Amino acid sequence: KQEVTQIPAALSVPEGENLVLNCSFTDSAIYNLQWFRQDPGKGLTSLLLIQSSQREQTSGRLNASLDKSSGRSTLYIAASQPGDSATYLCAVLLEETSGSRLTFGEGTQLTVNP
Amino acid sequence: KAGVTQTPRYLIKTRGQQVTLSCSPISGHRSVSWYQQTPGQGLQFLFEYFSETQRNKGNFPGRFSGRQFSNSRSEMNVSTLELGDSALYLCASSPRTSGGPSSYEQYFGPGTRLTVT
């Protein structure tokens, strides 16, 4: 059974700091990995999608890497801003014999202090 | 292009009642999945539908059911509500084009907040 773990569970940093969020998964037979952002009480906003054949993806101040063989992904946020405060979730897409599903980590709650 | 929409956004029900939640995927998307989010269990997979067929089902009791219509809109139903069913129910759509293996991005709606009293 696929398990996804995110470290740390919570992180508080001053504005302007660069930071790294970690995600690990137990089964490397994934199709892709997505990083999401969730604001309190809201839905999920997709930040980056990394296909299983890719090593990294970049969007603005965000960079995500994937090492499928070791079961790890990192999300790097450069020059953090108070507006980046949210919960960040990673999820891996599995294709099972009966269909597909996303398996999520518990999330990292990020607070960026002005 | 409009995003995934879910109705209603908020719902309060009493134990023992039933509820139906609706999801309209992004135009052109034929795959819809449902997830339950609770503080204790996090995000858990409920169902996946593609072209009106349920392709996958998570580990939830039979009180949870769903369906997809020919226009790709989907509904999920929870019967005999329990306090533990209180959660944020999220719907996601993807542009997969067949029932076979794929690696498409999932796009989530804003969710329906269900409170069971």
Side-chain angles (χ1 to χ4, degrees), chain A residues 36-76:
Chain A
F36 294 91
R37 167 187 173 138
Q38 186 175 33
D39 293 288
K42 303 294 177 75
L44 306 182
T45 301
S46 180
L47 298 172
L48 288 165
L49 168 72
I50 310 178
Q51 301 291 354
S52 62
S53 58
Q54 297 175 321
R55 300 282 296 183
E56 67 176 326
Q57 282 288 340
T58 298
S59 176
R61 295 183 293 108
L62 305 179
N63 175 278
S65 68
L66 174 64
D67 183 342
K68 208 173 80 158
S69 61
S70 67
R72 293 180 185 175
S73 176
T74 61
L75 178 66
Y76 175 83

Side-chain angles (χ1 to χ4, degrees), chain A residues 1 96 98 101-102, chain B residues 34-36 41 43-48 54 56-64 85:
Chain A
K1 179 189 168 192
E96 303 166 332
S98 55
R101 70 172 71 194
L102 281 173
Chain B
W34 288 87
Y35 293 82
Q36 181 198 63
Q41 299 295 319
L43 273 150
Q44 293 190 294
F45 171 76
L46 281 157
F47 329 96
E48 179 199 18
Q54 186 180 90
N56 204 359
K57 189 175 191 302
N59 188 26
F60 279 82
R63 300 185 295 108
F64 291 80
D85 297 333

Side-chain angles (χ1 to χ4, degrees), chain A residues 31-32 34 36 38 41-44 46 48-49 51-52 89 93 95-96 98-102 104-106, chain B residues 9 35 37 41-43 45 48 55-58 88 90 96 100-106 108-111 113:
Chain A
Y31 272 69
N32 64 42
Q34 270 185 268
F36 294 91
Q38 186 175 33
K42 303 294 177 75
L44 306 182
S46 180
L48 288 165
L49 168 72
Q51 301 291 354
S52 62
L89 295 148
L93 182 69
E95 279 289 341
E96 303 166 332
S98 55
S100 63
R101 70 172 71 194
L102 281 173
F104 285 86
E106 291 294 321
Chain B
R9 294 293 311 280
Y35 293 82
Q37 186 176 32
Q41 299 295 319
L43 273 150
F45 171 76
E48 179 199 18
R55 294 190 65 244
N56 204 359
K57 189 175 191 302
L88 181 66
L90 293 162
R96 70 183 301 142
S102 69
S103 184
Y104 291 99
E105 189 167 358
Q106 306 281 318
F108 280 78
R113 171 72 63 183

